[in-house]
Amino acid sequence: MSHERENWGSRFGFIMAAAGSAVGLGNIWRFPYLTGTSGGGAFILVYVLFALFVGLSVMLAEFTLGRYTAKAATGAYKQVSRQWTFVGFMGVLTALFIMGFYPVVGGWATAYIFKGFTGLLQHPEAVEDVFGAFISDPVQPLIWMVIYLALNIAIVIKGISGGIEKAGKVLMPTLFLLLVIIAIRGLTLPGASAGVSFLFKPDFSKLDGSVALAALGQAFFSLSLGMGCMITYGSFLAKTEDLKGNALIVTIMDTCIALLAGLAMFPAAFAYGVDPAAGPGLIFVVMPTVFANMGGLGQVFHVLFFIAFTVAALTSSISLMEVVVDYFIEQHHKTRKQAVLYTSIIMVIMCVLASLSLGVMADFHILGVGVFDFLDILTDKVYMAIGGMLLCLCVGWSVKKEDIYNEVTNNGELKFGLFGLWYGLIRFVNPILIAIVSVSGLIANENRALMIAGLASIGVMAIFSKKMS
Ligand code: PFF
């Protein structure tokens, strides 16, 4: 199975790019606000367990399948068997749908860099209202979303090792350093300890099927799993690389950054009396409030923070875009430029609708929710979890065990004492666990109609799998 394939320039470059894909809005925007709305410590505990057991094993399976087939997601599944083609296609759809709202939030982050210069920090009491007015405006967020998308296009058009790798190498370490500094600042504020106990003292009465599914979906979202992104990245890995070592590093980095973002957010939120359950606006309210109360240095920190935040979002969204672009290149034989063009047009249309759904189009509902929430719930609560489950079934049951063993150990050159455990997780534990969590989440969730429709759409794709490209 030796295809000519562009490889990552270096191991560090690959890890930075894969971690760059994983670390993004999911860690810094979504994880803290979900923690806040899902009751704190109990959510975190379940999340960390899912990330370390389900997430890590699924990531290794994705790297393995990618390198084994040397194909991007759809091609990889198709190569195993045409019956699996739809899972790859579903992944492309997931990436496309996530990119229907991700650049909206990416645009907010970009805008907030500049809001540091336009008086936001002079009025800490108005920070919350400013955010609400900003995201519901019919024009402003659209402009920022387009700017943010343009940055993505510029990087993706350059191709894999040229654009993505260089971006990741410089920007990831910067982000890490900034979060550490901000967390230390938050922790030293008076009243911060309430935030620490909110984060680390689990209240299990808050735990139900809906919270468990939110934690599972978040683990997949945050680690970029269940939609073929890591299959695509794995397909560019050299045959000498240690897949499990790479998967372990990326998972640990991603989980640490999420926890670090929580540490940067909650102690400060409690110290300044911001409601931890404020929802999607949490970071855009807490951070400027912290910076506004810091005096002169606050502005510098604000600008640095939102630059790092935007960059983290960028290194993730370029990987999402890459999944769709690779699909057009490999399955429809388009040039990279054409593929980027088609992808961008679809994304802009969805993002405009998603952004407007938070303002002037708030009353337009699909299956009970606005466009932004529709795309979010469908991907995170349905497609990614089920995508992860199907990936496990594909790798665990449709590829020969011997082939998987050889791929993951580089033809026996690397030791993998836990192979049996991992293989068992992939074959049995993960699929059953994901099924249980999904069903209990479905029962407890208020958006049942949407989730059932999502599941039905997967069924339809499965039926037509063999006809897909
Ligand atoms: N993991 C990214 C984040 O946490 O922001 C989001 C993401 C990127 C999800 C790439 C899926 C993906 F394929």
Side-chain angles (χ1 to χ4, degrees):
M1 200 144 310
S2 62
H3 296 256
E4 274 302 316
R5 202 147 167 87
E6 202 182 354
N7 270 340
W8 296 94
S10 67
R11 170 154 200 223
F12 180 70
F14 171 78
I15 294 204
M16 284 297 124
S21 163
V23 177
L25 294 178
N27 308 60
I28 299 165
W29 164 70
R30 208 164 190 283
F31 173 76
Y33 100 68
L34 277 183
T35 301
T37 53
S38 309
F43 173 83
I44 294 197
L45 188 68
V46 179
Y47 170 78
V48 170
L49 289 176
F50 280 152
L52 294 185
F53 289 97
V54 185
L56 176 58
S57 57
V58 170
M59 187 178 294
L60 181 54
E62 291 208 9
F63 283 167
T64 307
L65 183 66
R67 198 179 63 174
Y68 172 68
T69 57
K71 293 253 165 53
T74 323
Y77 281 110
K78 195 160 131 190
Q79 183 160 319
V80 174
S81 146
R82 292 189 74 108
Q83 193 53 60
W84 288 110
T85 309
F86 79 101
V87 188
F89 182 76
M90 201 176 117
V92 176
L93 216 56
T94 311
L96 199 62
F97 285 171
I98 294 180
M99 282 301 277
F101 68 90
Y102 207 94
V104 174
V105 184
W108 300 346
T110 318
Y112 265 67
I113 301 175
F114 297 93
K115 283 193 190 292
F117 298 108
T118 55
L120 176 72
L121 304 180
Q122 271 77 59
H123 304 283
E125 72 295 339
V127 163
E128 197 163 357
D129 294 341
V130 169
F131 177 73
F134 171 63
I135 64 162
S136 55
D137 189 273
V139 182
Q140 271 204 47
L142 298 189
I143 297 175
W144 290 105
M145 176 272 287
V146 169
I147 294 176
Y148 178 85
L149 251 181
L151 291 171
N152 282 274
I153 295 169
I155 301 174
V156 172
I157 225 160
K158 284 195 190 164
I160 191 87
S161 55
I164 300 182
E165 192 171 332
K166 275 192 203 127
K169 258 186 199 168
V170 190
L171 302 170
M172 286 292 300
T174 315
L175 171 72
F176 185 76
L177 203 70
L178 270 167
L179 274 177
V180 171
I181 295 172
I182 295 166
I184 292 173
R185 169 68 204 175
L187 284 168
T188 50
L189 289 169
S193 59
V196 180
S197 18
F198 177 78
L199 278 176
F200 297 118
K201 275 205 189 131
D203 171 2
F204 289 107
S205 68
K206 300 251 166 67
L207 214 58
D208 64 5
S210 183
V211 169
L213 179 59
L216 182 70
Q218 173 61 17
F220 277 98
F221 186 92
S222 189
L223 291 165
S224 306
L225 299 174
M227 44 156 303
C229 178
M230 293 301 182
I231 299 179
T232 305
Y233 272 29
S235 74
F236 294 111
L237 263 177
K239 287 287 184 195
T240 47
E241 281 292 343
D242 176 9
L243 298 179
K244 49 193 168 27
N246 283 321
L248 185 66
I249 293 174
V250 175
T251 305
I252 288 183
M253 270 173 86
D254 185 75
T255 309
C256 287
I257 298 225
L259 295 175
L260 197 57
L263 270 178
M265 211 80 59
F266 287 103
F270 277 83
Y272 289 123
V274 178
D275 177 12
L282 186 69
I283 183 176
F284 296 94
V285 175
V286 173
M287 286 297 128
T289 307
V290 173
F291 301 133
N293 284 291
M294 269 170 119
L297 258 188
Q299 191 178 24
V300 179
F301 272 93
H302 176 98
V303 173
L304 279 180
F305 177 78
F306 280 99
I307 290 179
F309 181 39
T310 305
V311 163
L314 261 178
T315 53
S316 301
S317 49
I318 50 182
S319 74
L320 282 160
M321 196 160 176
E322 187 65 32
V323 171
V324 188
V325 168
D326 268 335
Y327 168 78
F328 281 120
I329 296 177
E330 286 196 1
Q331 302 301 313
H332 294 284
H333 312 294
K334 301 289 174 212
T335 65
R336 179 165 277 270
K337 280 208 176 108
Q338 286 169 330
V340 170
L341 179 72
Y342 300 146
T343 309
S344 312
I345 292 173
I346 309 173
M347 285 171 184
V348 169
I349 295 172
M350 287 194 301
C351 285
V352 168
L353 295 177
S355 183
L356 294 180
S357 76
L358 303 173
V360 291
M361 273 177 58
D363 293 334
F364 174 74
H365 283 179
I366 316 172
L367 295 171
V369 293
V371 177
F372 190 108
D373 291 340
F374 175 86
L375 295 169
D376 181 23
I377 295 169
L378 188 62
T379 49
D380 177 69
K381 301 244 162 49
V382 185
Y383 281 5
M384 294 182 103
I386 303 296
M389 172 200 229
L390 293 170
L391 167 97
C392 288
L393 294 173
C394 172
V395 173
W397 297 89
S398 284
V399 184
K400 267 197 253 135
K401 182 176 182 179
E402 197 190 325
D403 288 354
I404 292 293
Y405 181 81
N406 286 339
E407 191 62 50
V408 85
T409 59
N410 298 358
N411 289 319
E413 269 174 35
L414 301 173
K415 276 213 190 90
F416 188 11
L418 297 176
F419 177 81
L421 175 68
W422 172 66
Y423 201 61
L425 280 174
I426 295 296
R427 264 165 89 92
F428 303 105
V429 181
N430 287 347
I432 295 172
L433 188 71
I434 294 172
I436 293 174
V437 174
S438 296
V439 170
S440 57
L442 182 71
I443 293 169
N445 205 282
E446 52 195 11
N447 301 302
R448 218 166 297 154
L450 171 54
M451 293 172 67
I452 291 174
L455 289 172
S457 70
I458 297 175
V460 172
M461 286 187 254
I463 292 169
F464 291 105
S465 189
K466 285 188 181 156
K467 292 211 176 66
M468 286 178 175
S469 59

